Amino acid sequence: MELDMGEKTTYLVMETHPAYVVLLDSEGRFLKAANCGYERGDRIDTAILIEYPQDKRRRRRRALRTAVSLAACVALAVLGVQQYRYVFVPYGTLQMEINPGVEMEISRSGRVVGLTGTNADGEALVEGYDYGGKDRYEAADELADLAVEMQFLEEGGQIALTAEAESAQWVEDTERRMKSELEEHLADHSIRVVISTDPEEKVIQEETESVTIPAPQQTAPAQEDAEGAQQAPASPAAPSAPAAPAAETPQAVQPPVSDDDGDSGYGDDDGDDGDDDDGDDDGDD
């Protein structure tokens, strides 16, 4: 195969053999080419390069090794980033409320990557404490010991644990395991402390007491009206209307009763008597 390398590519014949020659090109590569009557030391511009099957396999293996190396580098970079995030990037937080309040930033691996106090006593508790390279269990145990030494935590005290993260499963597992770890650690030091996973939960000592609830008293309506009248403000007196005249009760009028002759006292009775007298006179005539 004749390969024209251009004007800038020249070949120097280094070795001659009956079938081929060894050439040195201008880029410093040794190549094999067909011997077209070349002599050692000749400078040529074109050459018929010889390619052997093993050379092709060698080039393929070289390309494959290069690709594998690049893939390994990419995989290591990705794994390195993931490992860094797994160990050093905060994944969730855990708050310990004793009387001092402290908050630990925890990575996915359980390593403590940050520690702050949430109040003045918490800042005093974590001041000077080195949490570097420690996991959440070791840091929590040591913080509880410091709280006992500084008299923040005493016999019968309480520790409230609250975990926060995007994963509800991580929160549940962290609170359960931290509670178990602190209970075992403080039990080894003969300190009885109530550990809860709810910040609003409080320890209440119940006492049995008898309470008598009085029944509501009912007041008479008149008494309520009187009380309401006393409480109500006095309103200005309205002008009183004139009293209506009292209605007269009709009474039955009875006629006077005569003593002897049954005279009723009316004039008609006299007239009747006169008529009777005239009748009598007419009859006598």
Side-chain angles (χ1 to χ4, degrees), residues 185-250:
H185 177 75
L186 294 175
D188 294 340
H189 291 72
S190 300
I191 299 177
R192 291 180 297 177
V193 175
V194 177
I195 302 175
S196 64
T197 56
D198 186 357
E200 297 181 356
E201 182 179 352
K202 297 180 180 179
V203 179
I204 303 176
Q205 296 180 354
E206 297 183 354
E207 297 181 358
T208 304
E209 297 180 355
S210 60
V211 179
T212 303
I213 302 176
Q217 298 179 356
Q218 297 181 355
T219 58
Q223 184 178 357
E224 293 180 355
D225 295 340
E227 293 177 357
Q230 292 177 359
Q231 295 178 358
S235 58
S240 60
E248 295 181 358
T249 304

Side-chain angles (χ1 to χ4, degrees), residues 37-255:
Y38 303 128
E39 297 292 338
R40 185 176 181 180
D42 291 346
R43 290 182 178 273
I44 57 178
D45 296 331
T46 60
I48 301 174
L49 300 179
I50 301 174
E51 292 185 359
Y52 296 97
Q54 58 269 24
D55 295 337
K56 294 182 179 180
R57 290 194 296 268
R58 189 180 298 112
R59 285 196 298 271
R60 285 197 297 267
R61 287 195 297 268
R62 186 181 298 113
L64 181 61
R65 286 195 297 268
T66 302
V68 171
S69 299
L70 290 175
C73 291
V74 172
L76 288 175
V78 173
L79 290 176
V81 172
Q82 293 295 330
Q83 184 68 16
Y84 177 82
R85 290 174 57 86
Y86 185 77
V87 177
F88 297 103
V89 176
Y91 182 78
T93 60
L94 177 68
Q95 295 183 0
M96 292 180 59
E97 294 291 340
I98 306 172
N99 176 12
V102 297
E103 180 178 280
M104 291 187 290
E105 294 182 351
I106 304 173
S107 66
R108 190 65 183 270
S109 64
R111 182 190 183 100
V112 179
V113 296
L115 181 64
T116 56
T118 58
N119 53 24
D121 291 339
E123 293 176 357
L125 181 65
V126 301
E127 183 179 1
Y129 176 72
D130 184 15
Y131 61 86
K134 298 177 181 179
D135 62 7
R136 53 189 174 181
Y137 304 114
E138 183 179 2
D141 292 342
E142 293 180 355
L143 288 174
D145 294 340
L146 284 175
V148 174
E149 293 177 3
M150 300 175 68
Q151 296 182 354
F152 288 128
L153 183 63
E154 299 178 352
E155 181 76 16
Q158 181 179 5
I159 300 177
L161 302 176
T162 305
E164 294 182 358
E166 295 180 358
S167 174
Q169 186 65 35
W170 186 89
V171 170
E172 182 180 356
D173 293 343
T174 299
E175 290 181 348
R176 185 184 71 255
R177 294 176 181 176
M178 290 298 296
K179 178 179 180 181
S180 177
E181 172 66 23
L182 287 173
E183 288 176 346
E184 294 179 0
H185 177 75
L186 294 175
D188 294 340
H189 291 72
S190 300
I191 299 177
R192 291 180 297 177
V193 175
V194 177
I195 302 175
S196 64
T197 56
D198 186 357
E200 297 181 356
E201 182 179 352
K202 297 180 180 179
V203 179
I204 303 176
Q205 296 180 354
E206 297 183 354
E207 297 181 358
T208 304
E209 297 180 355
S210 60
V211 179
T212 303
I213 302 176
Q217 298 179 356
Q218 297 181 355
T219 58
Q223 184 178 357
E224 293 180 355
D225 295 340
E227 293 177 357
Q230 292 177 359
Q231 295 178 358
S235 58
S240 60
E248 295 181 358
T249 304
Q251 297 180 357
V253 178
Q254 296 181 359

